[in-house]
């Protein structure tokens, strides 16, 4: 945890990591890898990388295995310590981002009745702006169906609203059907997918900016995922070998600094949505080092 805290600190520096941060990231990640490789220390190597195996297999990780209100911190860092594998990299990235999205949304849609003591553990900003999940889902279904169940005449059934609710339930509970009827409804029915995206975007950006601490806000999370991607697309075994031989990690530093220059140029582009561009410029190479241009 000592190493992980400092690694995250150098990944989160504002506005972007400087060359000295890049060097420290190489040193800290290598130190953590050596710690895990040592059979006399904890966690054991098989436990650390077993966590990443579970992440990849299940497409996520439970908070008990990798704590963090907004993101699975331990899995996020341990996943950087493996040798490069393009196919596995894609799975790790998708699983980490999906888990982070799920945890973030659950925070923002988690308003419920709590005791006074329980409320003391929740930051005031989150208390003030957090949404109630049932009300949010009800409003989403109302927008998609075009029918308000509260406005239906007495004795009548809100059939369109109920039909929409059933279809959305099928999509979220049975992903195998996304190739069939549910996918057709989601992507081919006018404004359904657009409405869902807009409502989720509102939760992440509009509500999240007011409710969450600075580093838990979605655009900050996307930035740190960019940096994760930049590190993960370089073969970490080379970084660790250089560290063991007391050699400077020049290849890693050049690779990461080039990635950060690209991100900095995106940040300075005023005519586009930074969040949109950032989310869509994550690259995953098909080979080893220096192929993630």
């Amino acid at each position: 945890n000592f190493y992980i805290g400092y690694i995250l600190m150098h990944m989160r520096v504002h506005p972007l990591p400087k060359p000295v941060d890049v060097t420290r990231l190489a040193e800290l990640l290598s130190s953590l890898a050596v710690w895990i490789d040592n059979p006399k220390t904890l966690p054991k190597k098989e436990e650390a990388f077993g966590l990443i195996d579970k992440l990849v297999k299940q497409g996520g990780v439970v908070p008990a295995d990798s704590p963090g209100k907004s993101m699975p911190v331990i899995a996020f860092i341990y996943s950087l310590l493996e040798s490069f594998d393009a196919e596995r990299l894609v799975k790790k990235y998708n699983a980490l981002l999906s888990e982070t999205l799920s945890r973030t949304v659950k925070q923002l849609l988690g308003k419920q009745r709590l005791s006074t003591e329980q409320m003391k553990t929740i930051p005031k900003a989150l208390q003030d702006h957090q949404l109630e999940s049932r009300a949010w889902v009800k409003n989403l279904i109302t927008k998609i169906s075009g029918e308000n169940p509260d406005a239906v005449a007495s004795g009548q059934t809100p059939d369109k609203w109920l039909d929409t609710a059933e279809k959305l339930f099928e999509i979220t509970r049975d992903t195998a059907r996304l190739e069939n009827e549910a996918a057709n409804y989601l992507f081919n029915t006018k404004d359904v997918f657009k409405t869902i995206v807009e409502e989720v975007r509102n939760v992440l950006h509009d509500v999240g900016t007011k409710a969450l601490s600075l580093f838990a806000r979605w655009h900050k999370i996307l930035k740190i995922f960019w940096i994760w991607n930049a590190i993960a697309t370089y073969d970490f075994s080379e970084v660790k070998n250089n560290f063991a031989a007391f050699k400077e990690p020049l290849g890693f530093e050049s690779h990461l600094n080039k990635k950060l220059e690209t991100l900095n140029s995106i940040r300075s582009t005023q005519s586009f949505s930074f969040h949109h561009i950032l989310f869509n410029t994550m690259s995953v190479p098909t080979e080893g080092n220096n192929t993630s241009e």
Side-chain angles (χ1 to χ4, degrees), residues 10 23 47 61 82 127 221 239 243 276 284:
H10 286 286
T23 300
E47 294 175 0
V61 60
E82 296 184 316
Q127 292 183 38
I221 287 177
V239 182
F243 180 79
H276 176 79
V284 176

Side-chain angles (χ1 to χ4, degrees), residues 158-168 185:
D159 293 325
K160 289 175 61 179
W161 194 94
L162 292 173
D163 181 61
T164 300
E166 183 178 356
K167 287 176 178 175
L168 292 179
Y185 172 77

Side-chain angles (χ1 to χ4, degrees), residues 7-78:
I7 291 167
L8 287 172
M9 181 188 77
H10 286 286
M11 294 176 79
R12 286 171 167 167
V13 291
H14 179 78
L16 289 172
K18 298 177 176 61
V20 65
D21 296 298
V22 172
T23 300
R24 292 296 291 140
L25 280 170
E27 293 170 346
L28 288 164
L29 285 166
S30 297
S31 298
L32 179 60
V34 170
W35 179 281
I36 291 173
D37 284 345
N38 189 337
K40 297 180 181 180
T41 58
L42 295 174
K44 298 297 184 184
K45 186 174 182 179
E46 57 270 21
E47 294 175 0
F49 291 108
L51 173 64
I52 307 308
D53 290 337
K54 187 185 294 186
L55 170 80
V56 169
K57 182 178 181 180
Q58 298 178 352
V61 60
V62 297
D65 291 336
S66 185
K69 290 183 178 180
S70 296
M71 63 189 303
V73 174
I74 293 176
F76 184 81
I77 299 301
Y78 284 1

